[in-house]
Amino acid sequence: HIQDPASQRLTWNKPPKSVLVIKKIRDASLLQPFKELCVYLTEENNMIVYVEKKVLEDPAIANDDNFGPVKKKFCTFREDYDDISNQIDFIICLGGDGTLLYASSLFQGSVPPVMAFHLGSLGFLTPFNFENFQSQVTQVIEGNAALVLRSRLKVKVVKEHREKMTVQNGIEENGVVSASLEKEVGKQIMQYQVLNEVVVDRGPSSYLSNVDVFLDGHLITTVQGDGVIVSTPTGSTAYAAAAGASMIHPNVPAIMITPICPHSLSFRPIVVPAGVELKIMLSPDARNTAWVSFDGRKRQEICHGDSISITTSCYPLPSICFRDPVSDWFESLAECLHWNVRKKQNNFAVEEEE
């Protein structure tokens, strides 16, 4: 049974009470929309508003006496310190696509529905305009909205944890000259939930990246080039599109593998089924290490023996649509990427019969 994307609707088991407002920082143009939205949520809808602490440290907010009574009602949190995952009913983002990616990173498990307003530079993932925010927010609170479930990637990084032993003056106790030693003291495991893509690249090295890609335990190829992008359908319109990949609608259950500047004429981007497990490791004969980042964050070095395992997460990001999943996506293609924009060919002039 294939599910119709239009059948995905937002419904509440009980009326929402708490909302997380994420505002793009260092952007003065968002201060007034942020204040208007927070006043509307707290005074008109009696909602509990969660705001990140560093947002309220902006002098334009901290020194605004009129906004002071509203600000006192906020619940604040700090990234990487406070866990708010079980306290939020839905999320409102003010900014560009980066605010939605940031919202995703805050929830490593189940994600509340996200309503994203286009107040940034690109706005591919932010379908709402702020002019009529009152009626649109009210519709969401009442549960009258379409949803698109954006799949995420579950990523596990396993590092062979090594400890360097420094030897004074380069001489051990037995008198033998020795360089600094590396001692293996176990494995370090890190997990991430990724909305757009996992990027493995060659970092600052001048050598080609040389990594092996496994699919369900079978070696499928070795990537020789600048690196490789493993993306969700949501991420297919981001870095992957810039690297020459196809664009996939977010309702398609898939994972895309895209090489970055491969030193091969035949290496094309491929799409594999959602649910398979990809594993990326440095090739045994690789001349240099590699670097990996997750939605552009948490960048770190990958050495020989380390591995990156990637599969489809069971925790998608529910993104609230402006109209419906199909219309919103094609509108974004046209507005943001100018997809298939071309001056039309003239038709033949019809000669009048004498």
Side-chain angles (χ1 to χ4, degrees):
H1 175 69
I2 304 299
Q3 186 181 15
D4 178 9
S7 68
Q8 294 174 180
R9 306 287 300 183
L10 171 65
T11 57
W12 299 108
N13 293 326
K14 56 184 180 179
K17 291 294 182 185
S18 58
V19 56
L20 167 62
V21 177
I22 296 178
K23 184 187 81 69
K24 182 182 177 184
I25 59 173
R26 295 189 299 273
D27 191 337
S29 66
L30 296 184
L31 291 172
Q32 191 58 34
F34 172 73
K35 292 176 183 178
E36 290 179 18
L37 174 66
C38 291
V39 168
Y40 179 73
L41 290 170
T42 54
E43 296 185 358
E44 298 290 330
N45 293 278
N46 201 27
M47 302 283 289
I48 301 170
V49 177
Y50 283 78
V51 178
E52 193 170 9
K53 200 168 185 179
K54 64 183 178 184
V55 170
L56 300 181
E57 292 170 355
D58 190 313
I61 294 177
N63 300 329
D64 189 340
D65 295 334
N66 294 328
F67 193 63
V70 178
K71 191 174 66 174
K72 288 178 181 178
K73 299 178 184 178
F74 290 163
C75 295
T76 59
F77 73 97
R78 293 174 298 167
E79 184 190 7
D80 296 332
Y81 283 94
D82 303 314
D83 182 14
I84 58 169
S85 55
N86 295 321
Q87 301 169 36
I88 305 298
D89 291 326
F90 73 103
I91 304 168
I92 297 179
C93 293
L94 303 177
D97 293 347
T99 57
L100 191 68
L101 295 172
Y102 180 66
S104 171
S105 71
L106 292 175
F107 295 86
Q108 294 298 299
S110 180
V111 189
V114 182
M115 183 182 193
F117 284 94
H118 174 33
L119 291 163
S121 52
L122 185 60
F124 197 94
L125 307 177
T126 53
F128 289 93
N129 291 317
F130 196 75
E131 285 77 16
N132 303 314
F133 78 92
Q134 293 98 334
S135 61
Q136 293 168 345
V137 170
T138 300
Q139 280 189 337
V140 170
I141 292 173
E142 292 173 353
N144 181 23
L147 273 182
V148 56
L149 295 177
R150 298 184 179 275
S151 65
R152 298 197 294 175
L153 299 175
K154 182 176 74 172
V155 187
K156 183 171 75 171
V157 180
V158 180
K159 288 189 173 184
E160 300 288 347
H161 193 64
R162 296 174 179 86
E163 189 179 79
K164 284 193 174 181
M165 298 171 59
T166 55
V167 183
Q168 192 171 8
N169 297 326
I171 300 175
E172 292 183 296
E173 290 180 1
N174 56 7
V176 179
V177 177
S178 171
S180 62
L181 302 176
E182 283 193 350
K183 178 184 174 185
E184 206 167 290
V185 293
K187 294 184 177 181
Q188 182 184 12
I189 300 175
M190 293 155 288
Q191 293 196 11
Y192 305 96
Q193 297 283 333
V194 176
L195 179 60
N196 259 1
E197 75 267 302
V198 179
V199 177
V200 180
D201 61 69
R202 62 190 175 99
S205 173
S206 59
Y207 294 114
L208 287 175
S209 173
N210 200 336
V211 296
D212 293 334
V213 180
F214 300 83
L215 193 150
D216 286 341
H218 303 286
L219 177 67
I220 56 170
T221 192
T222 297
V223 181
Q224 294 186 93
D226 279 356
V228 63
I229 305 165
V230 179
S231 60
T232 63
T234 295
S236 70
T237 52
Y239 193 178
S246 296
M247 294 177 288
I248 306 174
H249 190 277
N251 276 108
V252 177
I255 299 174
M256 178 174 279
I257 304 170
T258 307
I260 308 171
C261 297
H263 201 240
S264 164
L265 297 177
S266 59
F267 196 164
R268 307 292 297 170
I270 59 171
V271 179
V272 296
V276 301
E277 184 177 47
L278 292 168
K279 192 173 186 180
I280 299 175
M281 300 182 71
L282 271 181
S283 297
D285 54 352
R287 292 182 176 185
N288 56 298
T289 61
W291 289 76
V292 62
S293 60
F294 314 93
D295 283 343
R297 308 180 81 210
K298 309 290 185 183
R299 186 167 168 81
Q300 54 197 268
E301 191 173 16
I302 298 298
C303 303
H304 284 96
D306 301 342
S307 67
I308 306 163
S309 298
I310 306 167
T311 190
T312 304
S313 170
C314 60
Y315 300 111
L317 184 142
S319 181
I320 299 171
C321 301
F322 178 65
R323 288 191 182 88
D324 61 78
V326 175
S327 298
D328 282 12
W329 193 68
F330 278 100
E331 181 116 357
S332 294
L333 285 182
E335 289 290 323
C336 301
L337 301 183
H338 303 291
W339 179 68
N340 201 26
V341 174
R342 178 191 183 276
K343 192 174 181 180
K344 285 194 174 181
Q345 188 179 41
N346 291 333
N347 62 343
F348 288 119
V350 179
E351 295 181 4
E352 294 182 3
E353 294 184 4
E354 294 182 358

